[in-house]
Coordinates of all heavy atoms in Angstrom, one line a residue:
I194 N 155.7 215.2 324.1 CA 155.2 214.4 323.0 C 156.3 214.1 322.1 O 157.0 215.0 321.6 CB 154.1 215.1 322.2 CG1 153.1 215.8 323.2 CG2 153.4 214.1 321.3 CD1 152.3 214.9 324.0
V195 N 156.5 212.8 321.9 CA 157.6 212.4 320.9 C 156.8 211.9 319.6 O 155.8 211.2 319.7 CB 158.6 211.4 321.4 CG1 159.4 212.0 322.5 CG2 157.9 210.1 321.9
V196 N 157.4 212.2 318.5 CA 156.8 211.9 317.2 C 157.9 211.1 316.3 O 159.0 211.5 316.3 CB 156.3 213.1 316.4 CG1 155.8 212.8 315.1 CG2 155.3 213.8 317.3
D197 N 157.4 210.1 315.7 CA 158.2 209.3 314.7 C 157.5 209.4 313.4 O 156.4 208.9 313.3 CB 158.4 207.9 315.2 CG 159.3 207.1 314.4 OD1 159.3 207.3 313.1 OD2 160.0 206.1 314.9
T198 N 158.1 210.0 312.4 CA 157.5 210.0 311.0 C 158.1 209.1 310.1 O 157.8 209.1 308.9 CB 157.6 211.5 310.5 OG1 158.9 211.8 310.1 CG2 157.1 212.5 311.5
G199 N 159.2 208.3 310.5 CA 159.8 207.3 309.6 C 160.4 207.9 308.4 O 160.4 207.2 307.3
N200 N 160.8 209.1 308.4 CA 161.4 209.9 307.3 C 160.4 210.1 306.2 O 160.7 210.2 305.0 CB 162.6 209.1 306.7 CG 163.7 208.9 307.8 OD1 163.9 207.8 308.3 ND2 164.3 210.0 308.2
G201 N 159.1 210.1 306.5 CA 158.1 210.4 305.6 C 157.8 211.9 305.6 O 158.7 212.7 305.8
G203 N 155.7 213.6 307.6 CA 155.0 214.1 308.7 C 155.7 215.1 309.7 O 155.2 215.4 310.8
G204 N 157.0 215.4 309.3 CA 157.8 216.3 310.2 C 157.1 217.6 310.6 O 157.4 218.2 311.6
F206 N 154.3 218.1 311.8 CA 153.5 218.0 313.0 C 154.3 218.5 314.2 O 153.7 219.1 315.1 CB 153.0 216.6 313.2 CG 151.8 216.5 314.2 CD1 150.6 216.8 313.7 CD2 152.0 216.1 315.5 CE1 149.5 216.7 314.5 CE2 150.9 216.0 316.3 CZ 149.6 216.4 315.8
V207 N 155.6 218.3 314.2 CA 156.4 218.8 315.3 C 156.6 220.3 315.1 O 156.4 221.1 316.0 CB 157.7 218.1 315.3 CG1 158.7 218.7 316.3 CG2 157.5 216.6 315.7
L211 N 153.0 221.0 317.2 CA 153.4 220.8 318.6 C 154.2 222.0 319.2 O 153.9 222.5 320.3 CB 154.2 219.5 318.8 CG 153.4 218.2 318.5 CD1 154.3 217.0 318.7 CD2 152.2 218.1 319.5
G220 N 163.2 214.5 321.6 CA 163.2 213.0 321.4 C 162.5 212.5 320.2 O 162.5 211.3 319.9
S221 N 161.8 213.4 319.5 CA 161.1 213.0 318.3 C 162.2 212.6 317.3 O 163.3 213.1 317.3 CB 160.3 214.2 317.7 OG 159.2 214.5 318.5
Q222 N 161.9 211.7 316.4 CA 162.9 211.1 315.6 C 162.4 210.8 314.2 O 161.3 210.7 313.9 CB 163.3 209.7 316.2 CG 162.2 208.7 316.4 CD 162.6 207.5 317.3 OE1 163.6 207.6 318.0 NE2 161.8 206.5 317.2
F223 N 163.4 210.7 313.3 CA 163.2 210.4 311.9 C 162.3 211.4 311.2 O 161.4 210.9 310.4 CB 162.8 208.9 311.7 CG 163.6 207.9 312.5 CD1 162.9 206.9 313.2 CD2 164.9 208.1 312.7 CE1 163.6 206.0 314.0 CE2 165.6 207.2 313.5 CZ 165.0 206.2 314.2
L224 N 162.5 212.6 311.5 CA 161.6 213.7 311.0 C 162.0 214.2 309.6 O 161.2 214.7 308.9 CB 161.5 214.9 311.9 CG 161.1 214.6 313.4 CD1 161.1 215.9 314.2 CD2 159.8 213.9 313.5
N232 N 165.5 204.2 308.3 CA 165.4 203.8 309.7 C 164.4 202.6 310.0 O 164.8 201.7 310.7 CB 165.1 205.0 310.6 CG 166.3 206.0 310.6 OD1 167.4 205.7 311.2 ND2 166.1 207.1 309.9
H233 N 163.3 202.8 309.4 CA 162.3 201.7 309.5 C 161.2 202.0 308.5 O 161.1 203.2 308.0 CB 161.7 201.5 310.9 CG 161.0 202.7 311.5 ND1 159.8 203.1 311.0 CD2 161.3 203.5 312.5 CE1 159.4 204.2 311.7 NE2 160.3 204.4 312.6
I234 N 160.4 201.0 308.2 CA 159.2 201.2 307.3 C 158.3 202.2 308.0 O 157.9 202.0 309.2 CB 158.5 199.9 307.0 CG1 159.4 199.0 306.3 CG2 157.2 200.2 306.2 CD1 158.9 197.6 306.1
P235 N 157.9 203.3 307.3 CA 156.9 204.2 308.0 C 155.5 203.7 307.9 O 154.7 204.0 307.1 CB 157.1 205.5 307.1 CG 157.6 205.0 305.8 CD 158.3 203.7 306.0
N236 N 155.2 202.8 308.9 CA 154.0 202.1 308.9 C 153.6 201.7 310.3 O 154.3 200.9 310.9 CB 154.1 200.7 308.0 CG 152.9 200.0 307.9 OD1 151.8 200.4 308.4 ND2 153.0 198.8 307.3
P237 N 152.5 202.2 310.8 CA 152.1 201.9 312.2 C 151.7 200.4 312.4 O 151.6 200.0 313.6 CB 150.8 202.8 312.4 CG 151.0 203.9 311.4 CD 151.6 203.3 310.2
Q241 N 158.7 196.7 313.8 CA 160.0 197.5 314.0 C 159.7 198.9 314.2 O 160.3 199.6 315.1 CB 160.9 197.3 312.8 CG 162.3 198.0 313.0 CD 163.1 197.9 311.7 OE1 162.7 197.3 310.7 NE2 164.3 198.6 311.8
A242 N 158.7 199.4 313.5 CA 158.4 200.8 313.6 C 157.7 201.1 314.9 O 158.0 202.1 315.6 CB 157.4 201.2 312.4
M243 N 156.8 200.3 315.4 CA 156.2 200.5 316.7 C 157.2 200.3 317.8 O 157.1 201.0 318.8 CB 155.1 199.4 316.9 CG 153.8 199.7 316.0 SD 153.1 201.4 316.3 CE 152.7 201.4 318.0
E244 N 158.2 199.4 317.6 CA 159.2 199.3 318.7 C 160.1 200.6 318.8 O 160.5 201.0 319.8 CB 160.0 198.0 318.5 CG 161.1 197.8 319.5 CD 160.6 197.6 320.9 OE1 159.4 197.2 321.1 OE2 161.4 197.8 321.9
A245 N 160.3 201.2 317.6 CA 161.1 202.4 317.5 C 160.5 203.5 318.3 O 161.1 204.2 319.1 CB 161.4 202.8 316.1
I246 N 159.2 203.7 318.1 CA 158.5 204.8 318.9 C 158.3 204.4 320.3 O 158.3 205.3 321.2 CB 157.1 205.2 318.2 CG1 156.5 206.4 318.9 CG2 156.2 204.0 318.1 CD1 157.3 207.7 318.8
R247 N 158.1 203.2 320.6 CA 158.0 202.7 322.0 C 159.2 203.0 322.8 O 159.2 203.5 323.9 CB 157.7 201.2 322.1 CG 157.1 200.7 323.3 CD 156.8 199.2 323.3 NE 158.0 198.4 323.5 CZ 158.4 198.1 324.7 NH1 157.8 198.5 325.8 NH2 159.5 197.4 324.8
Q248 N 160.4 202.7 322.2 CA 161.7 203.0 322.9 C 161.8 204.4 323.0 O 162.4 205.0 324.1 CB 162.8 202.4 322.1 CG 162.9 200.8 322.2 CD 163.0 200.3 323.6 OE1 163.7 201.0 324.5 NE2 162.3 199.2 323.9
A249 N 161.4 205.3 322.1 CA 161.6 206.7 322.2 C 160.8 207.3 323.3 O 161.2 208.2 324.0 CB 161.2 207.4 320.8
V250 N 159.5 206.7 323.5 CA 158.7 207.2 324.6 C 159.3 206.8 325.9 O 159.4 207.6 326.9 CB 157.3 206.5 324.5 CG1 156.5 206.7 325.8 CG2 156.6 207.1 323.3
L257 N 153.3 210.9 325.7 CA 152.7 210.2 324.5 C 153.6 210.1 323.4 O 154.4 211.0 323.1 CB 151.4 211.0 324.1 CG 150.6 210.5 323.0 CD1 149.9 209.2 323.4 CD2 149.5 211.5 322.5
G258 N 153.5 209.0 322.7 CA 154.3 208.9 321.4 C 153.3 208.7 320.3 O 152.3 208.1 320.4
I259 N 153.6 209.4 319.2 CA 152.8 209.3 318.0 C 153.6 208.9 316.8 O 154.7 209.4 316.6 CB 152.2 210.7 317.7 CG1 151.2 211.2 318.8 CG2 151.4 210.8 316.4 CD1 150.8 212.6 318.7
I260 N 153.1 208.0 316.0 CA 153.8 207.5 314.8 C 152.9 207.6 313.6 O 151.7 207.2 313.7 CB 154.3 206.1 315.0 CG1 155.1 205.7 313.7 CG2 153.2 205.1 315.3 CD1 155.9 204.4 314.0
F261 N 153.4 208.2 312.5 CA 152.6 208.3 311.3 C 153.2 207.4 310.2 O 154.3 207.0 310.2 CB 152.7 209.7 310.8 CG 152.1 210.8 311.7 CD1 152.9 211.8 312.2 CD2 150.7 210.7 312.0 CE1 152.3 212.8 313.0 CE2 150.2 211.7 312.8 CZ 151.0 212.7 313.3
D262 N 152.3 207.1 309.2 CA 152.8 206.5 308.0 C 153.4 207.6 307.1 O 153.5 208.8 307.4 CB 151.8 205.6 307.3 CG 150.7 206.5 306.6 OD1 150.5 207.6 307.0 OD2 150.0 205.9 305.8
T263 N 153.9 207.2 305.9 CA 154.6 208.1 305.0 C 153.9 209.4 304.7 O 154.4 210.5 304.7 CB 155.0 207.3 303.7 OG1 155.4 206.0 304.0 CG2 156.1 208.1 303.0
R267 N 147.6 207.8 308.3 CA 147.4 206.8 309.3 C 148.3 207.1 310.5 O 149.3 207.8 310.4 CB 147.7 205.4 308.8 CG 146.9 204.9 307.7 CD 147.2 203.4 307.4 NE 148.5 203.2 306.8 CZ 149.3 202.3 307.1 NH1 149.0 201.4 308.0 NH2 150.4 202.1 306.4
M268 N 147.9 206.7 311.7 CA 148.7 206.9 312.9 C 148.4 205.8 313.9 O 147.4 205.2 313.9 CB 148.4 208.3 313.5 CG 147.0 208.5 314.1 SD 146.7 207.9 315.7 CE 147.9 208.9 316.7
S269 N 149.3 205.7 314.8 CA 149.1 204.9 316.0 C 149.9 205.6 317.1 O 150.6 206.6 316.9 CB 149.6 203.5 315.9 OG 148.8 202.7 315.1

Side-chain angles (χ1 to χ4, degrees):
I194 315 296
V195 295
V196 177
D197 183 327
T198 70
N200 302 109
F206 198 77
V207 171
L211 293 180
S221 293
Q222 58 191 18
F223 315 140
L224 305 181
N232 293 291
H233 62 69
I234 297 171
N236 181 5
Q241 182 187 357
M243 287 305 298
E244 181 59 23
I246 184 62
R247 198 177 80 86
Q248 288 301 325
V250 168
L257 181 67
I259 296 170
I260 184 168
F261 295 120
D262 72 338
T263 319
R267 294 188 292 138
M268 65 82 64
S269 289

